[in-house]
Amino acid sequence: MASHRRPKQPSRARVTFFGAAATAAATVGITATSAQAAPQPTIDEVQAEVDSLYEEAEAVTEEYNGAKEREEELEAAVEDLQDSAARGQDELNELRGSLGSIAAAQYRNGGLDPSVQLFLSSDPDAYLSRASTLDQVSGRQAETLQLIEGKQRILDQQRAEAADALAELESLRSDLGDQKETIQGKLSEAQALLNQLSEEQRAQIAAQEAADREAAERASRAEPRGDITPVEGSGYAVAALNYAIGKLGSPYVFGASGPGSFDCSGLTSWAYAQAGVALPRTSQSQAGVGTRLGASELAPGDLVFFYGDLHHVGLYAGNGQVVHAPRPGQSVEYIGLNVMPFQFGVRVA
């Protein structure tokens, strides 16, 4: 979701001014011709604010992706625990049934053994502690009761773990809803700012972005790529890159990981998965999967990370170019390595 241009960082005064002007205009509907109208924000100020909102939204998106990954892990863990508990209960019922059969046989033959009476009137733990002093347990019954005791303990533990995991899952799902609302709010705010501009002003922003991109590519002496020609080479990194190249033009959708749409880390994780390599879901986690590299050390297929908090990631395509999923309203594309604030690359181990 990263911007295609290095956003101009407005001063604190400019941001405050912009926010005040926008709020005033939205609240009381002051027109530009009114004698008391606040100055309208400039195109540069609008673009800087929009870029900032998109960056904030992408940072929250990566938090959302991490939470979604944890949600999937918890769902699998809960399912496993519940399955294990169900199997444990069946085994426990079978053991208790076998002990009940012994009781029935003893009753038919003239009465219940005291040990069986004791078991049927209390829990296994109490039975074993009392029976051990009374020496009332036959070898086979003692073994069965010890199995029951052990399985009951395991079953209780599994049920407690499942309950804890379900509670965490419920809390996580609430957090996911809040994060989704935050992302949507920032995207809506960015769109509202752009909607304040005229069609001509929006065209000027698009033209400026294109000019900034060209300037950055010229500065890096990179030759822009625009086709889907596969990169030659072998290994899973090149294979992952070619899978990503095959998705050029696919739309950006926050939280998406293919195959029809992607966010930034969704594209990289999907591409490497097609090449047979599992990557973590978030850009920050992906930054720790291999050896860090400087710009001069990059090879096709290496992961490349941008911004200080590493909230954006792409795949190095060679010749100073990166394949990435940019931001809402845009599609998977090539971009120059230096268009965004590059931090480092990672060669997947």
Side-chain angles (χ1 to χ4, degrees):
M1 197 189 306
S3 172
H4 292 173
R5 60 197 295 265
R6 287 182 179 271
K8 298 178 181 178
Q9 299 299 325
S11 68
R12 189 178 186 87
R14 287 173 66 191
V15 173
T16 303
F17 154 77
F18 172 74
T23 302
T27 304
V28 299
I30 298 177
T31 67
T33 57
S34 171
Q36 296 180 346
Q40 292 298 303
T42 66
I43 291 179
D44 281 347
E45 288 170 336
V46 171
Q47 184 61 60
E49 187 71 8
V50 168
D51 286 344
S52 177
L53 286 167
Y54 278 138
E55 286 184 32
E56 291 172 9
E58 183 166 35
V60 179
T61 296
E62 289 306 293
E63 294 177 7
Y64 175 89
N65 289 336
K68 284 292 290 181
E69 187 175 42
R70 177 59 179 159
E71 179 187 37
E72 292 170 2
E73 293 171 353
L74 281 171
E75 287 174 342
V78 168
E79 184 176 353
D80 287 345
L81 285 167
Q82 289 176 334
D83 287 346
S84 295
R87 289 193 300 270
Q89 186 64 64
D90 289 342
E91 293 171 356
L92 194 59
N93 292 341
E94 185 177 347
L95 285 169
R96 284 175 171 164
S98 67
L99 200 62
S101 298
I102 295 173
Q106 290 178 350
Y107 182 79
R108 287 194 300 270
N109 293 329
L112 291 178
D113 185 281
S115 64
V116 177
Q117 294 179 33
L118 188 58
F119 166 71
L120 295 176
S121 64
S122 62
D123 62 81
D125 286 341
Y127 172 79
L128 288 173
S129 63
R130 295 172 61 186
S132 62
T133 60
L134 297 175
D135 194 24
Q136 294 174 327
V137 186
S138 70
R140 184 177 177 183
Q141 291 170 353
E143 181 180 350
T144 301
L145 286 168
Q146 287 171 347
L147 285 172
I148 290 174
E149 179 189 21
K151 288 188 178 296
Q152 184 66 62
R153 187 180 299 112
I154 293 171
L155 186 61
D156 291 343
Q157 180 179 350
Q158 288 174 334
R159 286 172 172 166
E161 290 175 357
D164 290 344
L166 281 170
E168 183 181 351
L169 185 58
E170 182 178 355
S171 175
L172 184 60
R173 284 173 173 164
S174 176
D175 291 343
L176 281 168
D178 293 342
Q179 288 172 336
K180 189 172 183 178
E181 287 183 7
T182 299
I183 294 166
Q184 295 286 20
K186 290 184 182 297
L187 297 181
S188 297
E189 188 177 352
Q191 189 59 54
L193 289 171
L194 290 173
N195 290 343
Q196 292 179 9
L197 301 177
S198 66
E199 184 177 345
E200 180 181 358
Q201 288 173 319
R202 288 194 290 270
Q204 289 177 13
I205 287 178
Q208 184 61 54
E209 285 187 340
D212 288 346
R213 179 201 301 263
E214 291 175 5
E217 288 170 344
R218 284 196 302 271
S220 65
R221 297 180 181 177
E223 296 180 6
R225 289 189 55 167
D227 57 52
I228 59 172
T229 304
V231 173
E232 294 183 359
S234 60
Y236 51 76
V238 171
L241 172 60
N242 285 328
Y243 279 112
I245 289 173
K247 290 300 179 179
L248 288 168
S250 298
Y252 179 102
V253 174
F254 91 86
S257 56
S261 58
F262 304 88
D263 62 17
C264 69
S265 59
L267 176 65
T268 52
S269 60
W270 177 86
Y272 264 90
Q274 306 317 298
V277 178
L279 292 184
R281 180 59 178 86
T282 68
S283 57
Q284 291 90 345
S285 295
Q286 291 176 13
V289 298
T291 305
R292 289 196 179 190
L293 308 166
S296 63
E297 301 172 288
L298 293 172
D302 288 337
L303 299 173
V304 284
F305 297 88
F306 302 91
Y307 300 96
D309 61 356
L310 310 179
H311 70 251
H312 193 71
V313 62
L315 288 161
Y316 187 65
N319 198 33
Q321 296 291 300
V322 174
V323 177
H324 77 141
R327 71 185 192 191
Q330 298 179 355
S331 303
V332 176
E333 63 172 7
Y334 288 110
I335 195 170
L337 181 66
N338 295 320
V339 172
M340 295 175 289
F342 171 74
Q343 302 299 307
F344 56 82
V346 164
R347 185 156 301 149
V348 178

